[in-house]
Amino acid sequence: MTRTDEGEQTPEDVLVALADPIRREVLTILAREGGATSTSLAASLPITRQAVAKHLAVLDRAGLVRAHRAGREVRYEADLQPLRRTTRWMDTLAAQWEHRLNAIKDLAEEATEP
Amino acid sequence: MTRTDEGEQTPEDVLVALADPIRREVLTILAREGGATSTSLAASLPITRQAVAKHLAVLDRAGLVRAHRAGREVRYEADLQPLRRTTRWMDTLAAQWEHRLNAIKDLAEEATEP
DNA sequence: TCCACGTGCAACCAGTAGGTTGCGCATGGA
DNA sequence: TCCATGCGCAACCTACTGGTTGCACGTGGA
């Protein structure tokens, strides 16, 4: 088991996690199957189990997956809540930036046509 | 001038660009000031002009900045449109994944209480 | 005309990301 | 009881990222 004890799960961690196509593919499989182990994921992907484990660690750091031990297997499930938080965070950022840009554009118009 | 001739600008490029705190800071400055040069940005940041130029290249690849030559200066301005597109793309992804997860949850309930 | 200033390009360096192989350990089933 | 299976850990490799310095080029102003 990696951590899952949710340290921070910043929006930045989610962006980093989602920036990799293999990690998005992992989340897609997890959503389609409802859960999977590192071994079963490696069977569906072009990389080894250990590489999958590293990707799962990144996803776990972002809070996007949760690990459950079941016997000698460790089953991973997707948690989309941090993703929803992150899109809202990005929208807020975009709104702030656009607000500043519009304010500047208004100032420019005010100066040219008085 | 870097490229600005918009090659693809995939959501992935936007995620990669936004995953770095310095690049987010660059966008913040660009929105606050309405535009800046690599030299003026380097004055506001703890890194050299050449490092700034590399970050601007990443932002340009994502379509988040646009370069305009003005005399011997190259002025960069923020373009938030790819950011808005990316948040919508992420929302769609989240919706698809949640849809699959809910379908699986329903199946499980159906099986346990018939 | 000439010089200063802003850019662009290239080489270089350290650290990290993504991938591999190898091995040891625990656990569940025959 | 014993063996196959699933995991975790560690070492190692390669490529890319983020940063630096140094230098050459073009352009605008005194």
Side-chain angles (χ1 to χ4, degrees), chain B residues 7-67:
Chain B
E8 307 96 271
Q9 304 167 2
T10 65
E12 173 161 340
D13 288 333
V14 175
L15 289 183
V16 169
L18 249 49
D20 186 290
I22 286 212
R23 284 192 287 267
R24 290 196 301 272
E25 178 69 19
V26 166
L27 283 178
T28 301
I29 296 178
L30 252 33
R32 193 201 315 143
E33 317 279 326
T37 67
S38 57
T39 303
S40 73
L41 283 167
S44 314
L45 293 168
I47 58 177
T48 61
R49 174 183 61 88
Q50 283 81 349
V52 171
K54 291 188 185 180
H55 285 298
L56 285 171
V58 176
L59 289 167
D60 182 71
R61 210 179 308 146
L64 289 168
V65 299
R66 208 164 300 286

Side-chain angles (χ1 to χ4, degrees), chain A residues 24-35:
Chain A
R24 291 196 300 271
E25 177 70 18
V26 166
L27 283 179
T28 301
I29 296 177
L30 253 35
R32 191 200 317 144
E33 317 279 327

Side-chain angles (χ1 to χ4, degrees), chain A residues 25-67:
Chain A
E25 177 70 18
V26 166
L27 283 179
T28 301
I29 296 177
L30 253 35
R32 191 200 317 144
E33 317 279 327
T37 67
S38 56
T39 302
S40 73
L41 283 167
S44 315
L45 294 170
I47 57 176
T48 61
R49 174 182 61 86
Q50 284 80 352
V52 171
K54 291 188 186 182
H55 285 298
L56 285 170
V58 176
L59 289 166
D60 182 71
R61 210 179 307 145
L64 289 167
V65 299
R66 208 162 303 285

